[in-house]
Amino acid sequence: MGRPPCCDKIGVKKGPWTPEEDIILVSYIQEHGPGNWRAVPTNTGLLRCSKSCRLRWTNYLRPGIRRGNFSDHEEKMIIHLQALLGNRWAAIASYLPQRTDNDIKNYWNTHLKKKLKKLQGNGDEHNQGCGVGGGHSAVSESSLAKGQWERRLQTDIHMAKQALCEALSLDKSNPILPEESKLYSNVPIIQTSATYASSTENIARLLENWMKNSPKSSQTSSESTTTQSSFNTFQVGAGLTSSPSEGTLSATATPEAGFESLFSFNSCNSDETSLIIFQDESKPSLENTKNIIPLTLLEKWLFDDAAIGQGGVHDDDLMDMSLGETAHELF
DNA sequence: AAGAAGCGCAACCGCAGCAAG
DNA sequence: CCTTGCTGCGGTTGCGCTTCT
């Protein structure tokens, strides 16, 4: 509508994020919580547009993000969910708590698409469901296009029902759905310190690499005085010091410990516990409440390889399941 | 060993939806 | 009801790394 892109402004930095910028962003969000992205660049002094900040947070710095190889389990989920939902990566990501939509999208585009194409090439149109993706993989373009909008509509209805059910749920303690949990990023919620544990790990890892790769970066990081001072503040708080002898950034303790001190983490904050804590907070309803119903059903279907392998499950069945069985259980 | 090609990932861009004024 | 601004999402791009020739 004629409105210039937010990133077109002069002085707005583009390209890869530096560790300093990451730290500034994380420390700001730690203090204020995610949301109000518009205010982030001005309040932090970051020379980034709000969009870029949000993206960096959601795709990289956000707590609990798992990087690296996708497991077979995850792969299957993605394939099945893609067949069901189409390219609605955010929705798919909501069922894979530790993966971002961007990650899933990338993985789909770089790995799974090819894989499925190959399988499709081998198995022809009558995909009798072997190997990855099974019957759905298949998801031949034609069959996908055929009645796709109906399926999407049905899925939307299902999701709406699910959301409604959750909204009406008596269990107020864990009201967040997979789908809804995405929303946390734009709602200033009260965070416990532990929520950021995984973020700490991300940054710690990042710093480790950074220290290995660019020992001089602490000297050269002079984007702006505000930025630098924020970074220094963060260093002190995090137990990180500039080594006077070498001018390099070094941690007085482990990076994790440093960040923990800043963020006041529990002393018993092992990797494992922080992950658990995160899961509880970020995807609170997935594992341990009655809200589990839709997901367990879905998972049951997702992992029912035997059924798929024997060609026993079809799209129609899936929709029957999701709209019939699930809805039935919901109401 | 060097150059070319391919691959994977982070980040950008533009559009759509929503809410506030 | 319309306009404006912000946020979220999906598609796409570009760069750096790895593998191949």
Side-chain angles (χ1 to χ4, degrees):
Chain A
M1 320 274 208
R3 188 152 41 100
C6 66
C7 304
D8 275 359
K9 289 176 198 162
I10 297 165
V12 173
K13 196 182 163 196
K14 290 184 184 180
W17 280 66
T18 64
E20 292 100 321
E21 290 175 312
D22 283 339
I23 290 166
I24 291 165
L25 182 61
V26 170
S27 60
Y28 177 84
I29 291 171
Q30 159 69 20
E31 204 175 321
H32 298 91
N36 195 12
W37 296 108
R38 195 72 184 166
V40 173
T42 48
N43 291 346
T44 58
L46 286 170
L47 301 173
R48 296 278 182 173
C49 71
S50 55
K51 227 176 183 179
S52 185
C53 293
R54 182 179 57 81
L55 216 61
R56 183 63 179 170
W57 171 255
T58 53
N59 287 338
Y60 199 83
L61 301 173
R62 193 166 54 105
I65 291 176
R66 190 164 135 207
R67 319 202 70 77
N69 295 340
F70 281 69
S71 63
D72 287 350
H73 176 143
E74 289 174 311
E75 197 174 290
K76 281 172 190 166
M77 277 193 84
I78 293 168
I79 291 167
H80 286 303
L81 285 166
Q82 204 279 342
L84 181 67
L85 301 170
N87 292 359
R88 299 162 78 189
W89 306 116
I92 292 170
S94 68
Y95 288 98
L96 292 161
Q98 298 174 347
R99 300 291 185 179
T100 68
D101 52 356
N102 206 36
D103 246 5
I104 294 170
K105 184 171 59 183
N106 281 336
Y107 190 66
W108 175 265
N109 287 330
T110 55
H111 293 90
L112 298 179
K113 235 178 180 176
K114 290 174 197 164
K115 228 171 189 174
L116 294 180
K117 219 169 193 176
K118 225 184 242 176
L119 284 169
Q120 209 175 324
N122 293 340
D124 216 20
E125 317 237 309
H126 307 317
N127 38 77
Q128 288 301 317
C130 59
V132 180
H136 294 292
S137 71
V139 175
S140 63
E141 302 272 337
S142 57
S143 72
L144 190 69
K146 175 188 160 193
Q148 190 180 28
W149 70 269
E150 291 112 314
R151 195 177 309 160
R152 183 169 284 200
L153 182 63
Q154 287 182 317
T155 308
D156 285 338
I157 292 167
H158 168 58
M159 283 175 161
K161 279 182 181 177
Q162 203 174 302
L164 180 62
C165 179
E166 298 303 333
L168 296 172
S169 167
L170 294 175
D171 186 356
K172 305 287 184 193
S173 60
N174 285 305
I176 303 173
L177 270 175
E179 198 60 35
E180 288 169 325
S181 64
K182 278 265 166 185
L183 299 175
Y184 88 98
S185 63
N186 61 2
V187 178
I189 53 175
I190 299 167
Q191 305 267 6
T192 66
S193 58
T195 308
Y196 288 88
S198 300
S199 185
T200 308
E201 288 160 23
N202 286 344
I203 292 287
R205 250 181 283 139
L206 194 120
L207 272 173
E208 263 177 63
N209 292 335
W210 180 45
M211 285 184 271
K212 274 186 218 154
N213 297 338
S214 59
K216 286 187 292 183
S217 50
S218 70
Q219 285 180 317
T220 56
S221 60
S222 53
E223 300 266 350
S224 72
T225 53
T226 321
T227 302
Q228 187 59 49
S229 64
S230 305
F231 182 52
N232 288 340
T233 308
F234 195 89
Q235 277 180 273
V236 172
L240 296 168
T241 58
S242 290
S243 163
S245 56
E246 296 171 23
T248 57
L249 188 67
S250 65
T252 53
T254 63
E256 283 90 347
F259 285 105
E260 279 174 16
S261 71
L262 175 69
F263 293 151
S264 308
F265 292 133
N266 297 333
S267 57
C268 61
N269 195 12
S270 69
D271 286 355
E272 205 176 315
T273 52
S274 39
L275 181 61
I276 291 165
I277 288 165
F278 162 72
Q279 284 179 332
D280 284 345
E281 294 190 3
S282 158
K283 295 282 178 181
S285 61
L286 285 181
E287 306 289 337
N288 53 0
T289 74
K290 58 184 172 184
N291 292 335
I292 199 169
I293 291 170
L295 186 60
T296 47
L297 274 175
L298 187 63
E299 282 185 322
K300 191 182 166 194
W301 156 63
L302 287 173
F303 305 131
D304 195 354
D305 287 327
I308 292 165
Q310 290 157 15
V313 178
H314 303 287
D315 283 352
D316 289 343
D317 297 325
L318 293 175
M319 293 317 301
D320 286 343
M321 184 277 291
S322 61
L323 289 171
E325 196 177 345
T326 307
H328 188 255
E329 282 211 50
L330 285 173
F331 297 104

